[in-house]
Amino acid sequence: NAGVMQNPRHLVRRRGQEARLRCSPMKGHSHVYWYRQLPEEGLKFMVYLQKENIIDESGMPKERFSAEFPKEGPSILRIQQVVRGDSAAYFCASSPTRSNEKLFFGSGTQLSVL
Amino acid sequence: SQELEQSPQSLIVQEGKNLTINCTSSKTLYGLYWYKQKYGEGLIFLMMLQKGGEEKSHEKITAKLDEKKQQSSLHITASQPSHAGIYLCGADAINTGTASKLTFGTGTRLQVTL
């Protein structure tokens, strides 16, 4: 049973470009969470999604960031017009139910903005 | 908002030695999660504590949550090189009763020397 798959592992973008980060949850998991780890900071919650629904986006920046988890296909975290401050490791996690006591994390996407 | 402080920030121990990592919260912890992050990889779930005074063990790792539920410690007995990595504590900040929205500490970087 494959774990949480994130791609790409590394993404380099120039300022102003768009970044698309993908996350395929574990088989059977319908709950997806995105976290961001800025340099020298802890992991910060961004958004929690269930299939086709955003449940909690209280950690998402108000502008340029969006997330989706369509009925078919991976969850996508999209960052428009990236800036240097967006450089970070973005982690996706999944769980089979909302009440699950643990999250299964992917290996992350390291975004570097030049 | 809840803050989690981990100490020490980094730790170098000789193989075979015991060590303790602490996680202190500014507010009551409703659920406390310990994860391990290997360099460049995702997080691996270690343990979850919920009740004051609770203690759990897995192999050579023991975690405790104090009675007041504002501090947790992670103790490793007879450390091995495989224990090296970054240890993160995460908290269920708003008493969701789940891991759906965690606040993480900044981590403790552990190195184990031969």
Side-chain angles (χ1 to χ4, degrees):
Chain A
N1 187 12
V4 178
M5 304 300 292
Q6 287 189 250
N7 66 83
R9 286 297 304 272
H10 301 275
L11 182 61
V12 179
R13 285 287 178 267
R14 296 191 181 279
R15 282 179 295 171
Q17 291 184 319
E18 179 179 287
R20 280 186 180 236
L21 289 62
R22 294 175 198 79
C23 169
S24 295
M26 285 184 71
K27 189 176 180 181
H29 288 195
S30 59
H31 300 257
V32 165
Y33 315 79
W34 285 93
Y35 283 79
R36 177 166 67 172
Q37 189 173 39
L38 290 164
E40 306 306 319
E41 292 187 25
L43 273 171
K44 304 285 186 192
F45 169 83
M46 297 183 76
V47 63
Y48 163 31
L49 309 106
Q50 206 176 344
K51 282 286 186 181
E52 299 185 276
N53 289 308
I54 297 174
I55 307 299
D56 182 345
E57 58 181 347
S58 57
M60 288 277 271
K62 299 296 179 198
E63 297 176 349
R64 301 187 297 107
F65 285 71
S66 62
E68 62 175 12
F69 187 18
K71 189 177 179 181
E72 302 288 340
S75 175
I76 306 285
L77 180 68
R78 183 180 175 208
I79 311 172
Q80 295 178 290
Q81 298 174 325
V82 295
V83 300
R84 289 221 172 105
D86 296 332
S87 297
Y90 291 82
F91 288 94
C92 169
S94 73
S95 66
T97 65
R98 183 172 188 155
S99 60
N100 207 57
E101 71 171 25
K102 69 177 178 181
L103 302 180
F104 296 81
F105 279 84
S107 299
T109 293
Q110 181 64 52
L111 173 65
S112 299
V113 179
L114 304 179
Chain B
S1 62
Q2 183 161 41
E3 300 284 336
L4 289 178
E5 190 172 318
Q6 286 186 239
S7 63
Q9 289 187 337
S10 64
L11 193 53
I12 302 173
V13 298
Q14 198 172 20
E15 185 178 4
K17 298 293 185 185
N18 303 337
L19 63 108
T20 300
I21 297 168
N22 293 303
C23 175
T24 303
S25 171
S26 57
K27 297 183 180 180
T28 298
L29 295 163
Y30 296 105
L32 191 286
Y33 301 74
W34 282 100
Y35 281 84
K36 179 185 173 186
Q37 183 180 19
K38 286 205 159 184
Y39 302 110
E41 297 183 19
L43 279 67
I44 300 166
F45 174 82
L46 296 175
M47 274 170 278
M48 182 255 188
L49 304 161
Q50 208 160 26
K51 299 174 186 173
E54 188 175 9
E55 180 176 319
K56 285 186 179 177
S57 293
H58 176 67
E59 297 180 345
K60 294 186 178 179
I61 301 176
T62 300
K64 299 179 188 179
L65 181 61
D66 77 351
E67 290 288 345
K68 292 183 180 178
K69 295 174 66 174
Q70 284 198 254
Q71 186 173 47
S72 179
S73 60
L74 187 84
H75 185 77
I76 300 178
T77 304
S79 59
Q80 299 169 354
S82 61
H83 287 128
I86 301 171
Y87 289 82
L88 293 160
C89 63
D92 172 11
I94 54 174
N95 196 16
T96 65
T98 72
S100 61
K101 186 174 181 179
L102 299 181
T103 296
F104 282 93
T106 50
T108 295
R109 192 178 294 264
L110 172 64
Q111 293 181 54
V112 179
T113 60
L114 298 173

